[in-house]
Amino acid sequence: MTTIYGMTDSGNCYKPRLLMAKLGRPFTHVETSSRDGTTRSPGYLAKNANGKVPLLELDDGRFLAESNAILLHLAEGTRLLPADAYERALVYQWLFFEQYSHEPYVAVRRSLYVYPERAAQATPERLASLLESGNKALGVMEVQLAKTPFLAGNAMSVADIALYAYTHDAGTGGFELANFPAVSAWLDRVRADPGHVPIGWLP
């Protein structure tokens, strides 16, 4: 059976679990955390030399790392990845946006509040900088979602799953989602999509 190694409370690790739930596919979850050292164990590093989660182990024993690469692989041939080349490119665009313009700010600011060991890094200057950059990313999403119901157009895709993961919990990091009504309405649409599960869900 397909196995996903990851942290239950990580947004990046939530992405493939949420996708699998929406697709109705069975998988095994193996709790693997940077907090307890398991991502740095010799056994895990033999699977993923980068020592990060999530990590997908396929039925045939092959491995695939990086959350958005995992999403693209698992969504191949499903309703959550368009067949049209341009529509697929729009999905890729938002996946790159998530990793370079959203996650480094929204997810990182959340982590400074969620994980006690990171509290020392939460200087006023850093929090202010992360808030500014995170709000900029949410503003970009707001512009798009005021025009289309989902990020890559009229249909939900893995772009929405990728950006839902940390956006839905952005309030924990001090972001005011009420300031982004189109984003808030989109969050409701993603939650209403069949098969939705919360971040802590495990199979």
Side-chain angles (χ1 to χ4, degrees), residues 76-107:
E76 190 66 44
T78 75
R79 68 182 178 91
L80 294 169
L81 189 61
D84 177 80
Y86 178 71
E87 292 177 359
R88 285 172 75 100
L90 289 177
V91 171
Y92 301 156
Q93 169 188 291
W94 286 105
L95 293 179
F96 296 139
F97 169 86
E98 189 268 340
Q99 285 292 282
Y100 288 101
S101 299
H102 183 283
E103 193 269 355
Y105 310 111
V106 176

mmCIF file of all heavy atoms in Angstrom, residues 76-107:
data_model
loop_
_atom_site.group_PDB
_atom_site.id
_atom_site.type_symbol
_atom_site.label_atom_id
_atom_site.label_comp_id
_atom_site.label_asym_id
_atom_site.label_seq_id
_atom_site.Cartn_x
_atom_site.Cartn_y
_atom_site.Cartn_z
ATOM 1 N N GLU A 76 -2.379 12.721 -11.006
ATOM 2 C CA GLU A 76 -2.337 12.403 -12.439
ATOM 3 C C GLU A 76 -3.546 11.557 -12.833
ATOM 4 O O GLU A 76 -3.850 10.535 -12.206
ATOM 5 C CB GLU A 76 -1.052 11.650 -12.771
ATOM 6 C CG GLU A 76 -0.791 11.492 -14.249
ATOM 7 C CD GLU A 76 -0.518 12.807 -14.953
ATOM 8 O OE1 GLU A 76 0.243 13.646 -14.410
ATOM 9 O OE2 GLU A 76 -1.080 13.003 -16.058
ATOM 10 N N GLY A 77 -4.260 12.029 -13.870
ATOM 11 C CA GLY A 77 -5.411 11.292 -14.363
ATOM 12 C C GLY A 77 -6.678 11.451 -13.548
ATOM 13 O O GLY A 77 -7.651 10.721 -13.772
ATOM 14 N N THR A 78 -6.702 12.409 -12.611
ATOM 15 C CA THR A 78 -7.881 12.628 -11.772
ATOM 16 C C THR A 78 -8.490 13.995 -12.073
ATOM 17 O O THR A 78 -7.919 14.807 -12.803
ATOM 18 C CB THR A 78 -7.528 12.569 -10.274
ATOM 19 O OG1 THR A 78 -6.844 13.788 -9.892
ATOM 20 C CG2 THR A 78 -6.634 11.366 -9.974
ATOM 21 N N ARG A 79 -9.619 14.269 -11.443
ATOM 22 C CA ARG A 79 -10.309 15.553 -11.626
ATOM 23 C C ARG A 79 -9.516 16.728 -11.083
ATOM 24 O O ARG A 79 -9.820 17.879 -11.389
ATOM 25 C CB ARG A 79 -11.672 15.511 -10.914
ATOM 26 C CG ARG A 79 -11.581 15.452 -9.383
ATOM 27 C CD ARG A 79 -12.951 15.374 -8.738
ATOM 28 N NE ARG A 79 -12.888 15.279 -7.281
ATOM 29 C CZ ARG A 79 -12.908 16.317 -6.444
ATOM 30 N NH1 ARG A 79 -12.997 17.547 -6.932
ATOM 31 N NH2 ARG A 79 -12.861 16.126 -5.135
ATOM 32 N N LEU A 80 -8.486 16.459 -10.292
ATOM 33 C CA LEU A 80 -7.757 17.528 -9.621
ATOM 34 C C LEU A 80 -6.501 17.975 -10.356
ATOM 35 O O LEU A 80 -5.721 18.773 -9.833
ATOM 36 C CB LEU A 80 -7.410 17.101 -8.184
ATOM 37 C CG LEU A 80 -8.654 16.930 -7.305
ATOM 38 C CD1 LEU A 80 -8.294 16.261 -5.982
ATOM 39 C CD2 LEU A 80 -9.337 18.261 -7.052
ATOM 40 N N LEU A 81 -6.312 17.478 -11.586
ATOM 41 C CA LEU A 81 -5.200 17.933 -12.413
ATOM 42 C C LEU A 81 -5.689 18.014 -13.853
ATOM 43 O O LEU A 81 -5.985 16.989 -14.469
ATOM 44 C CB LEU A 81 -4.009 16.974 -12.301
ATOM 45 C CG LEU A 81 -2.716 17.454 -12.956
ATOM 46 C CD1 LEU A 81 -2.218 18.749 -12.329
ATOM 47 C CD2 LEU A 81 -1.630 16.382 -12.826
ATOM 48 N N PRO A 82 -5.770 19.221 -14.427
ATOM 49 C CA PRO A 82 -6.334 19.377 -15.771
ATOM 50 C C PRO A 82 -5.520 18.649 -16.832
ATOM 51 O O PRO A 82 -4.296 18.535 -16.733
ATOM 52 C CB PRO A 82 -6.278 20.894 -15.997
ATOM 53 C CG PRO A 82 -6.116 21.513 -14.657
ATOM 54 C CD PRO A 82 -5.384 20.511 -13.820
ATOM 55 N N ALA A 83 -6.211 18.218 -17.870
ATOM 56 C CA ALA A 83 -5.538 17.578 -19.001
ATOM 57 C C ALA A 83 -4.993 18.607 -19.983
ATOM 58 O O ALA A 83 -3.969 18.379 -20.630
ATOM 59 C CB ALA A 83 -6.502 16.636 -19.716
ATOM 60 N N ASP A 84 -5.669 19.741 -20.092
ATOM 61 C CA ASP A 84 -5.239 20.795 -21.011
ATOM 62 C C ASP A 84 -3.894 21.370 -20.580
ATOM 63 O O ASP A 84 -3.663 21.660 -19.399
ATOM 64 C CB ASP A 84 -6.293 21.907 -21.027
ATOM 65 C CG ASP A 84 -5.892 23.072 -21.898
ATOM 66 O OD1 ASP A 84 -6.045 22.974 -23.121
ATOM 67 O OD2 ASP A 84 -5.390 24.080 -21.338
ATOM 68 N N ALA A 85 -2.987 21.552 -21.533
ATOM 69 C CA ALA A 85 -1.622 21.978 -21.221
ATOM 70 C C ALA A 85 -1.575 23.344 -20.539
ATOM 71 O O ALA A 85 -0.825 23.544 -19.573
ATOM 72 C CB ALA A 85 -0.771 21.993 -22.488
ATOM 73 N N TYR A 86 -2.347 24.298 -21.030
ATOM 74 C CA TYR A 86 -2.323 25.632 -20.429
ATOM 75 C C TYR A 86 -2.933 25.613 -19.032
ATOM 76 O O TYR A 86 -2.399 26.227 -18.099
ATOM 77 C CB TYR A 86 -3.066 26.645 -21.307
ATOM 78 C CG TYR A 86 -3.110 28.017 -20.690
ATOM 79 C CD1 TYR A 86 -1.965 28.804 -20.596
ATOM 80 C CD2 TYR A 86 -4.301 28.520 -20.159
ATOM 81 C CE1 TYR A 86 -2.000 30.060 -20.006
ATOM 82 C CE2 TYR A 86 -4.341 29.768 -19.566
ATOM 83 C CZ TYR A 86 -3.186 30.540 -19.491
ATOM 84 O OH TYR A 86 -3.237 31.779 -18.892
ATOM 85 N N GLU A 87 -4.035 24.888 -18.875
ATOM 86 C CA GLU A 87 -4.668 24.801 -17.558
ATOM 87 C C GLU A 87 -3.739 24.123 -16.553
ATOM 88 O O GLU A 87 -3.688 24.499 -15.382
ATOM 89 C CB GLU A 87 -5.993 24.062 -17.660
ATOM 90 C CG GLU A 87 -7.047 24.845 -18.426
ATOM 91 C CD GLU A 87 -8.346 24.080 -18.601
ATOM 92 O OE1 GLU A 87 -8.412 22.915 -18.141
ATOM 93 O OE2 GLU A 87 -9.286 24.644 -19.192
ATOM 94 N N ARG A 88 -2.988 23.118 -17.017
ATOM 95 C CA ARG A 88 -2.010 22.479 -16.130
ATOM 96 C C ARG A 88 -0.918 23.471 -15.742
ATOM 97 O O ARG A 88 -0.466 23.506 -14.592
ATOM 98 C CB ARG A 88 -1.375 21.265 -16.819
ATOM 99 C CG ARG A 88 -2.276 20.053 -16.899
ATOM 100 C CD ARG A 88 -1.646 18.970 -17.759
ATOM 101 N NE ARG A 88 -0.572 18.286 -17.059
ATOM 102 C CZ ARG A 88 -0.698 17.104 -16.462
ATOM 103 N NH1 ARG A 88 -1.864 16.482 -16.463
ATOM 104 N NH2 ARG A 88 0.330 16.532 -15.877
ATOM 105 N N ALA A 89 -0.487 24.292 -16.713
ATOM 106 C CA ALA A 89 0.550 25.280 -16.423
ATOM 107 C C ALA A 89 0.074 26.281 -15.377
ATOM 108 O O ALA A 89 0.867 26.737 -14.537
ATOM 109 C CB ALA A 89 0.964 25.997 -17.702
ATOM 110 N N LEU A 90 -1.207 26.632 -15.389
ATOM 111 C CA LEU A 90 -1.746 27.515 -14.361
ATOM 112 C C LEU A 90 -1.667 26.857 -12.983
ATOM 113 O O LEU A 90 -1.358 27.515 -11.985
ATOM 114 C CB LEU A 90 -3.198 27.888 -14.686
ATOM 115 C CG LEU A 90 -3.424 28.837 -15.864
ATOM 116 C CD1 LEU A 90 -4.921 29.027 -16.093
ATOM 117 C CD2 LEU A 90 -2.739 30.178 -15.619
ATOM 118 N N VAL A 91 -1.934 25.557 -12.937
ATOM 119 C CA VAL A 91 -1.789 24.821 -11.668
ATOM 120 C C VAL A 91 -0.335 24.883 -11.200
ATOM 121 O O VAL A 91 -0.051 25.176 -10.040
ATOM 122 C CB VAL A 91 -2.247 23.362 -11.827
ATOM 123 C CG1 VAL A 91 -1.894 22.545 -10.583
ATOM 124 C CG2 VAL A 91 -3.752 23.310 -12.092
ATOM 125 N N TYR A 92 0.600 24.624 -12.117
ATOM 126 C CA TYR A 92 2.021 24.687 -11.757
ATOM 127 C C TYR A 92 2.381 26.085 -11.251
ATOM 128 O O TYR A 92 3.148 26.228 -10.290
ATOM 129 C CB TYR A 92 2.908 24.370 -12.968
ATOM 130 C CG TYR A 92 2.698 23.022 -13.606
ATOM 131 C CD1 TYR A 92 3.034 22.813 -14.940
ATOM 132 C CD2 TYR A 92 2.159 21.957 -12.903
ATOM 133 C CE1 TYR A 92 2.853 21.586 -15.551
ATOM 134 C CE2 TYR A 92 1.966 20.725 -13.509
ATOM 135 C CZ TYR A 92 2.315 20.545 -14.828
ATOM 136 O OH TYR A 92 2.119 19.322 -15.426
ATOM 137 N N GLN A 93 1.846 27.109 -11.913
ATOM 138 C CA GLN A 93 2.123 28.480 -11.507
ATOM 139 C C GLN A 93 1.778 28.701 -10.041
ATOM 140 O O GLN A 93 2.577 29.267 -9.275
ATOM 141 C CB GLN A 93 1.289 29.434 -12.375
ATOM 142 C CG GLN A 93 1.260 30.881 -11.907
ATOM 143 C CD GLN A 93 0.259 31.701 -12.693
ATOM 144 O OE1 GLN A 93 0.480 31.952 -13.867
ATOM 145 N NE2 GLN A 93 -0.834 32.098 -12.069
ATOM 146 N N TRP A 94 0.605 28.229 -9.626
ATOM 147 C CA TRP A 94 0.193 28.420 -8.234
ATOM 148 C C TRP A 94 0.979 27.535 -7.278
ATOM 149 O O TRP A 94 1.221 27.916 -6.121
ATOM 150 C CB TRP A 94 -1.308 28.197 -8.102
ATOM 151 C CG TRP A 94 -2.088 29.343 -8.665
ATOM 152 C CD1 TRP A 94 -2.785 29.389 -9.845
ATOM 153 C CD2 TRP A 94 -2.205 30.649 -8.101
ATOM 154 N NE1 TRP A 94 -3.332 30.623 -10.031
ATOM 155 C CE2 TRP A 94 -2.999 31.426 -8.980
ATOM 156 C CE3 TRP A 94 -1.723 31.236 -6.921
ATOM 157 C CZ2 TRP A 94 -3.324 32.759 -8.712
ATOM 158 C CZ3 TRP A 94 -2.047 32.569 -6.663
ATOM 159 C CH2 TRP A 94 -2.830 33.317 -7.549
ATOM 160 N N LEU A 95 1.406 26.365 -7.735
ATOM 161 C CA LEU A 95 2.246 25.523 -6.877
ATOM 162 C C LEU A 95 3.591 26.189 -6.622
ATOM 163 O O LEU A 95 4.113 26.147 -5.493
ATOM 164 C CB LEU A 95 2.448 24.148 -7.526
ATOM 165 C CG LEU A 95 1.214 23.256 -7.651
ATOM 166 C CD1 LEU A 95 1.584 21.947 -8.330
ATOM 167 C CD2 LEU A 95 0.569 22.987 -6.302
ATOM 168 N N PHE A 96 4.173 26.812 -7.641
ATOM 169 C CA PHE A 96 5.435 27.528 -7.454
ATOM 170 C C PHE A 96 5.221 28.759 -6.571
ATOM 171 O O PHE A 96 6.053 29.067 -5.712
ATOM 172 C CB PHE A 96 6.021 27.944 -8.809
ATOM 173 C CG PHE A 96 6.404 26.793 -9.695
ATOM 174 C CD1 PHE A 96 6.139 26.825 -11.060
ATOM 175 C CD2 PHE A 96 7.020 25.657 -9.177
ATOM 176 C CE1 PHE A 96 6.490 25.770 -11.884
ATOM 177 C CE2 PHE A 96 7.372 24.593 -9.997
ATOM 178 C CZ PHE A 96 7.107 24.646 -11.351
ATOM 179 N N PHE A 97 4.120 29.441 -6.785
ATOM 180 C CA PHE A 97 3.772 30.594 -5.946
ATOM 181 C C PHE A 97 3.681 30.185 -4.477
ATOM 182 O O PHE A 97 4.188 30.872 -3.586
ATOM 183 C CB PHE A 97 2.437 31.183 -6.428
ATOM 184 C CG PHE A 97 1.834 32.202 -5.497
ATOM 185 C CD1 PHE A 97 2.202 33.534 -5.573
ATOM 186 C CD2 PHE A 97 0.885 31.819 -4.552
ATOM 187 C CE1 PHE A 97 1.640 34.476 -4.712
ATOM 188 C CE2 PHE A 97 0.320 32.747 -3.696
ATOM 189 C CZ PHE A 97 0.696 34.088 -3.770
ATOM 190 N N GLU A 98 3.041 29.041 -4.248
ATOM 191 C CA GLU A 98 2.880 28.568 -2.863
ATOM 192 C C GLU A 98 4.221 28.360 -2.192
ATOM 193 O O GLU A 98 4.414 28.744 -1.041
ATOM 194 C CB GLU A 98 2.057 27.268 -2.862
ATOM 195 C CG GLU A 98 1.626 26.793 -1.486
ATOM 196 C CD GLU A 98 2.597 25.822 -0.828
ATOM 197 O OE1 GLU A 98 3.413 25.219 -1.549
ATOM 198 O OE2 GLU A 98 2.531 25.665 0.402
ATOM 199 N N GLN A 99 5.165 27.775 -2.878
ATOM 200 C CA GLN A 99 6.454 27.456 -2.274
ATOM 201 C C GLN A 99 7.382 28.665 -2.141
ATOM 202 O O GLN A 99 8.187 28.719 -1.218
ATOM 203 C CB GLN A 99 7.146 26.362 -3.086
ATOM 204 C CG GLN A 99 6.558 24.982 -2.870
ATOM 205 C CD GLN A 99 6.821 24.446 -1.474
ATOM 206 O OE1 GLN A 99 7.909 23.991 -1.165
ATOM 207 N NE2 GLN A 99 5.815 24.510 -0.613
ATOM 208 N N TYR A 100 7.246 29.640 -3.049
ATOM 209 C CA TYR A 100 8.197 30.754 -3.053
ATOM 210 C C TYR A 100 7.639 32.057 -2.494
ATOM 211 O O TYR A 100 8.404 32.883 -1.983
ATOM 212 C CB TYR A 100 8.717 30.996 -4.482
ATOM 213 C CG TYR A 100 9.667 29.934 -4.954
ATOM 214 C CD1 TYR A 100 9.255 28.924 -5.800
ATOM 215 C CD2 TYR A 100 10.996 29.933 -4.526
ATOM 216 C CE1 TYR A 100 10.127 27.924 -6.218
ATOM 217 C CE2 TYR A 100 11.871 28.938 -4.940
ATOM 218 C CZ TYR A 100 11.435 27.947 -5.786
ATOM 219 O OH TYR A 100 12.305 26.957 -6.187
ATOM 220 N N SER A 101 6.319 32.265 -2.580
ATOM 221 C CA SER A 101 5.745 33.546 -2.171
ATOM 222 C C SER A 101 4.753 33.446 -1.025
ATOM 223 O O SER A 101 4.341 34.472 -0.483
ATOM 224 C CB SER A 101 5.028 34.200 -3.372
ATOM 225 O OG SER A 101 5.931 34.437 -4.421
ATOM 226 N N HIS A 102 4.346 32.238 -0.660
ATOM 227 C CA HIS A 102 3.326 32.043 0.369
ATOM 228 C C HIS A 102 3.863 31.274 1.574
ATOM 229 O O HIS A 102 3.913 31.805 2.690
ATOM 230 C CB HIS A 102 2.128 31.310 -0.260
ATOM 231 C CG HIS A 102 0.957 31.094 0.639
ATOM 232 N ND1 HIS A 102 0.919 30.115 1.605
ATOM 233 C CD2 HIS A 102 -0.244 31.730 0.718
ATOM 234 C CE1 HIS A 102 -0.237 30.143 2.239
ATOM 235 N NE2 HIS A 102 -0.969 31.112 1.718
ATOM 236 N N GLU A 103 4.287 30.052 1.348
ATOM 237 C CA GLU A 103 4.747 29.184 2.448
ATOM 238 C C GLU A 103 5.885 29.792 3.271
ATOM 239 O O GLU A 103 5.869 29.677 4.511
ATOM 240 C CB GLU A 103 5.140 27.821 1.871
ATOM 241 C CG GLU A 103 5.334 26.723 2.901
ATOM 242 C CD GLU A 103 6.770 26.619 3.400
ATOM 243 O OE1 GLU A 103 7.625 27.336 2.881
ATOM 244 O OE2 GLU A 103 7.008 25.819 4.318
ATOM 245 N N PRO A 104 6.880 30.455 2.664
ATOM 246 C CA PRO A 104 7.986 31.004 3.466
ATOM 247 C C PRO A 104 7.552 32.085 4.452
ATOM 248 O O PRO A 104 8.326 32.441 5.354
ATOM 249 C CB PRO A 104 8.926 31.593 2.403
ATOM 250 C CG PRO A 104 8.603 30.855 1.149
ATOM 251 C CD PRO A 104 7.127 30.640 1.216
ATOM 252 N N TYR A 105 6.348 32.609 4.282
ATOM 253 C CA TYR A 105 5.879 33.687 5.153
ATOM 254 C C TYR A 105 4.682 33.258 6.001
ATOM 255 O O TYR A 105 4.730 33.326 7.231
ATOM 256 C CB TYR A 105 5.530 34.918 4.304
ATOM 257 C CG TYR A 105 6.650 35.260 3.357
ATOM 258 C CD1 TYR A 105 6.494 35.095 1.976
ATOM 259 C CD2 TYR A 105 7.884 35.685 3.833
ATOM 260 C CE1 TYR A 105 7.530 35.373 1.097
ATOM 261 C CE2 TYR A 105 8.927 35.961 2.954
ATOM 262 C CZ TYR A 105 8.745 35.806 1.597
ATOM 263 O OH TYR A 105 9.781 36.061 0.736
ATOM 264 N N VAL A 106 3.630 32.782 5.357
ATOM 265 C CA VAL A 106 2.434 32.373 6.089
ATOM 266 C C VAL A 106 2.723 31.165 6.975
ATOM 267 O O VAL A 106 2.388 31.151 8.166
ATOM 268 C CB VAL A 106 1.274 32.084 5.110
ATOM 269 C CG1 VAL A 106 0.055 31.566 5.870
ATOM 270 C CG2 VAL A 106 0.926 33.342 4.323
ATOM 271 N N ALA A 107 3.352 30.145 6.411
ATOM 272 C CA ALA A 107 3.647 28.937 7.187
ATOM 273 C C ALA A 107 4.706 29.191 8.252
ATOM 274 O O ALA A 107 4.593 28.697 9.378
ATOM 275 C CB ALA A 107 4.111 27.818 6.258
#
